[in-house]
Amino acid sequence: MNFEEIRKKANREWERFNRLERPRILIGAATCGRAAGALEIWETFKKELASRSIEADFCEVGDLGMCYAEPCIEIGVPGGKRVLYGGVDDKMVAVLVEDFIVKGDPRPDLALCTFGDVKIEGIPAFQDLPMIDKQVRVVLRNSGIIDPDNIDHYIARGGYSGLMKCLKMKPEDVIEEIKASGLRGRGGAGFPTGVKWGLARNSKADAKYIICNADEGDPGAFMDRAVLESDPHAVLEGLVVGAYAIGARYAYVYARAEYPLAIKRLERAIRQMEEYGFLGENLFGSGFGVSVKIKQGAGAFVCGEETALMASIEGRRGMPRPRPPFPAQSGLHARPTNINNVETFANVSEIMNRGAAWFASYGTEKSKGTKTFALAGKINRTGLIEVPMGITLRDIIFNVGGGILNDKAFKAIQTGGPSGGCIPAKFLDMQVDYEELAKVGSIMGSGGMIVMDEDSCMVDIARYFLTFTENESCGKCTPCRMGTQHLLRLLEEISEGKGRPEHVATLEKLGKAVRSTSLCGLGQTAPNPVLTTLVHFRDEYEAHIREQRCPARVCKAMLTYAIDTEACESCGLCKKDCPVEAITGSKKPP
């Protein structure tokens, strides 16, 4: 089939899917939904409908990003009403079947929002939800809407149109289009994607490689996983566009083995691409061909670094090497290689479809487009979001994220995962882009955001992240191997009440040394949580050291418990109720 025939077939399938000739149940069955019991709810729906002899269509979809409301279930009925419900449990299933599917009452008191053209009084539309209304969904354009295992759904929503445009252009013109969009790599450093592709394009060799880095390992980050589980074709299409642009015939997706559902959906998507002609030799008569393989990583955080990742693909231990030569000149198997992450490629496919100017209309002067973030921590609406570059932290936390849990005071936000910095409340109105985050000692990273409230101890937060990076250091270079160990030891001593006044100066000196002398990005950014908390929360370090006190009452070694003997009534109830038997004595004596 040619592409026009493929698109017509896909459109027919999409129209059939949305016709709603009988009830349709969409289950948000990415990892977040599954962890909340989505598949069990699926079975409950089937049993409930079967008991009433009601025939219905069921379909797994991806992650809408509203993790706080999982499991999320969309019910559509003939006539076009489509309603999303959150936090669905077994009891709700029977109610929704009886009231909505049987009687036609959508139960606005239980609903989150509506989809489609049919509006329902008392239920907001999806795009009007507080978590959604400030979002611009480019990478997440299909997440939670299509069946990720059905290539026709992706094509019907504009999928592979960008690749078909690309195949009619010169590779150099494709690179110029990506340059014009202003797209920067979404994996952390933010290097201009088009420039990076140009370097690989200009390198001469008998073979070239392009790699999608899906080795997402930051604590609290799940952007790549959610995208791969919800819309794998968007990433693979961008990967093939990149391969065409630089002249690579071999492509890899490097995904950590801890993402089994993402890998399963990638494997199915690759088979479908081969069946439809989007992979293989001479794509649609263009003379260009490419193959895609999946390489499963063993979960080493350092393999997110380009040279370590390539060593892992080659079957060697994942350890970084000095640069130059850069991967664009000598990468995988000593051939020119380009590496971008999941989010970057998902942007590429839509940029080629809708144009560079459209993408560049979002964001700031130096940081164009949108960015996905994983909101986690002490925040009401945890989940996956996509917002324009330049939005403020205040908007993200209090408008999109719904504010702090239990109305506690906001204290800090960690951006960029263990490699990022802790940003205090005084910077709530700063814009979120690459340059502004760097000014306060943090980074964009891949997009993790961990929110902390007044009960968070910043010394303990720094210790937590150093525990991770010290454990994940590959050990190749001395500054990272030994520096992270010593930083962690000092933080542990401070947390245990053994800190000395000179520890603060030592942490600063050592952190700066590790940052400036480490071989790769892991070591160069590992001290960021320590250095930023020392700048913005030095008083907490001083309290731990000079007063032997944890202001947030988190560090257990500094907690004491005592009974006021003058107020004691000798009833013995406290001894009876203490869950850890910390109280001694008998009745009558205080």
Side-chain angles (χ1 to χ4, degrees):
M1 288 188 292
N2 60 38
F3 183 67
E4 192 56 39
E5 291 172 331
I6 290 172
R7 185 156 52 188
K8 287 179 180 178
K9 173 182 176 295
N11 288 338
R12 289 194 298 270
E13 166 63 19
W14 184 244
E15 289 170 6
R16 185 204 62 76
F17 179 71
N18 287 295
R19 200 171 292 138
L20 295 179
E21 294 177 342
R22 60 184 184 177
R24 185 188 71 181
I25 315 293
L26 302 187
I27 314 287
T31 294
C32 290
R34 290 175 181 227
L39 297 185
E40 290 78 7
I41 296 299
W42 175 315
E43 293 302 321
T44 305
F45 261 110
K46 284 185 175 179
K47 292 176 182 177
E48 184 67 27
L49 290 167
S51 70
R52 298 168 180 267
S53 299
I54 298 174
E55 292 187 350
D57 295 318
F58 287 83
C59 183
E60 287 188 27
V61 293
D63 193 343
L64 278 169
M66 302 162 67
C67 299
Y68 75 97
E70 295 286 5
C72 289
I73 311 293
E74 181 196 314
I75 300 177
V77 296
K81 289 183 179 179
R82 297 170 52 196
V83 183
L84 181 73
Y85 302 90
V88 178
D89 56 22
D90 288 344
K91 292 180 180 179
M92 278 183 67
V93 170
V95 172
L96 294 174
V97 170
E98 172 68 19
D99 290 355
F100 189 23
I101 295 179
V102 175
K103 297 180 178 179
D105 177 6
R107 292 297 300 269
D109 57 317
L110 299 177
L112 286 175
C113 66
T114 63
F115 285 99
D117 298 327
V118 179
K119 308 303 179 186
I120 302 174
E121 185 176 354
I123 307 178
F126 175 70
Q127 61 269 22
D128 294 329
L129 287 174
M131 188 178 187
I132 305 299
D133 67 353
K134 288 186 177 293
Q135 294 193 42
V136 176
R137 295 165 74 90
V138 179
V139 173
L140 304 181
R141 57 192 180 271
N142 295 318
S143 295
I145 296 172
I146 68 170
D147 177 356
D149 283 335
N150 191 328
I151 189 173
D152 288 333
H153 286 196
Y154 178 69
I155 294 170
R157 286 180 55 85
Y160 293 108
S161 297
L163 174 60
M164 299 310 296
K165 292 178 183 177
C166 162
L167 294 176
K168 296 175 183 177
M169 300 166 65
K170 294 179 180 178
E172 293 81 5
D173 293 337
V174 174
I175 292 173
E176 289 304 314
E177 186 76 3
I178 299 301
K179 285 181 180 179
S181 74
L183 176 65
R184 296 170 65 169
R186 297 299 195 244
F191 192 81
T193 303
V195 174
K196 194 174 187 179
W197 287 12
L199 294 171
R201 175 74 194 174
N202 293 331
S203 294
K204 306 301 180 184
D206 59 342
K208 294 181 183 180
Y209 297 91
I210 189 164
I211 301 171
C212 174
N213 181 355
D215 190 57
E216 180 178 54
D218 295 11
F222 49 92
M223 299 77 58
D224 291 355
R225 171 184 59 74
V227 173
L228 291 172
E229 291 174 353
S230 304
D231 196 12
H233 286 284
V235 181
L236 293 170
E237 180 185 2
L239 183 62
V240 176
V241 169
Y244 178 80
I246 72 168
R249 297 271 174 165
Y250 309 98
Y252 283 90
V253 178
Y254 186 91
R256 52 182 43 226
E258 294 95 329
Y259 285 178
L261 180 60
I263 291 170
K264 177 182 176 182
R265 289 184 170 165
L266 278 169
E267 289 172 340
R268 182 175 178 85
I270 289 170
R271 291 196 299 270
Q272 291 174 337
M273 291 175 72
E274 291 170 342
E275 291 170 6
Y276 275 59
F278 297 118
L279 289 177
E281 296 298 323
N282 192 25
L283 304 188
F284 296 93
S286 65
F288 171 74
V290 64
S291 63
V292 177
K293 292 183 179 179
I294 299 171
K295 167 66 177 179
Q296 294 188 38
F301 181 63
V302 73
C303 285
E305 195 276 338
E306 291 185 338
T307 59
L309 184 155
M310 291 184 292
S312 177
I313 292 178
E314 291 172 350
R316 297 182 288 115
R317 182 179 175 188
M319 300 175 77
R321 61 161 174 79
R323 294 178 289 182
F326 292 94
Q329 285 78 46
S330 179
L332 187 64
H333 304 305
R335 303 297 197 282
T337 305
N338 182 88
I339 304 176
N340 291 113
N341 84 325
V342 167
E343 185 178 347
T344 308
F345 284 123
N347 274 306
V348 163
S349 53
E350 192 69 345
I351 289 169
M352 293 307 300
N353 183 28
R354 303 185 67 171
W358 162 80
F359 185 81
S361 68
Y362 298 105
T364 63
E365 182 181 353
K366 294 183 179 179
S367 298
K368 301 293 186 183
T370 63
K371 181 73 187 77
T372 62
F373 293 103
L375 286 182
K378 305 293 185 67
I379 193 165
N380 282 309
R381 291 195 282 263
T382 55
L384 181 65
I385 67 170
E386 184 174 4
V387 290
M389 289 279 198
I391 191 173
T392 66
L393 282 174
R394 186 182 300 277
D395 263 343
I396 291 175
I397 296 167
F398 291 96
N399 293 328
V400 180
I404 309 303
L405 278 173
N406 302 317
D407 294 321
K408 295 285 182 95
F410 169 74
K411 189 171 191 176
I413 184 168
Q414 172 88 0
T415 69
S419 303
C422 293
I423 303 172
K426 67 179 181 180
F427 294 116
L428 268 173
D429 292 311
M430 69 173 284
Q431 289 188 323
V432 178
D433 63 22
Y434 291 99
E435 287 72 32
E436 294 302 309
L437 288 174
K439 289 178 182 178
V440 295
S442 192
I443 61 173
M444 185 77 72
S446 57
M449 282 190 169
I450 300 177
V451 178
M452 289 157 269
D453 66 8
E454 60 193 81
D455 295 332
S456 301
C457 171
M458 304 314 293
V459 177
D460 185 65
I461 291 292
R463 181 202 58 77
Y464 167 77
F465 283 115
L466 255 295
T467 300
F468 178 84
T469 48
E470 185 271 338
N471 183 64
E472 291 291 340
S473 172
C474 75
K476 182 173 184 176
C477 72
T478 303
C480 180
R481 181 180 70 248
M482 299 305 298
T484 53
Q485 288 183 30
H486 289 304
L487 286 169
L488 179 58
R489 175 180 57 81
L490 292 171
L491 290 169
E492 287 175 341
E493 289 182 3
I494 294 172
S495 298
E496 293 167 1
K498 302 173 184 177
R500 300 191 300 275
E502 59 268 25
H503 277 14
V504 172
T506 304
L507 283 171
E508 286 183 318
K509 184 177 180 181
L510 182 57
K512 291 176 181 178
V514 172
R515 185 169 65 183
S516 61
T517 58
S518 292
L519 174 61
C520 82
L522 190 155
Q524 292 163 9
T525 57
N528 281 349
V530 182
L531 295 174
T532 53
T533 51
L534 281 170
V535 170
H536 302 304
F537 302 97
R538 185 178 290 260
D539 58 325
E540 292 198 26
Y541 284 87
E542 298 290 345
H544 281 71
I545 294 170
R546 299 187 184 280
E547 303 173 30
Q548 297 291 291
R549 178 178 64 89
C550 175
R553 293 178 291 182
V554 169
C555 299
K556 293 181 179 179
M558 295 184 179
L559 295 178
T560 58
Y561 181 86
I563 295 174
D564 183 350
T565 55
E566 293 183 5
C568 177
E569 297 180 357
S570 306
C571 65
L573 288 177
C574 60
K575 179 182 179 182
K576 179 183 176 182
D577 291 341
C578 181
V580 292
E581 300 180 353
I583 299 169
T584 58
S586 58
K587 287 187 178 182
K588 294 185 180 179

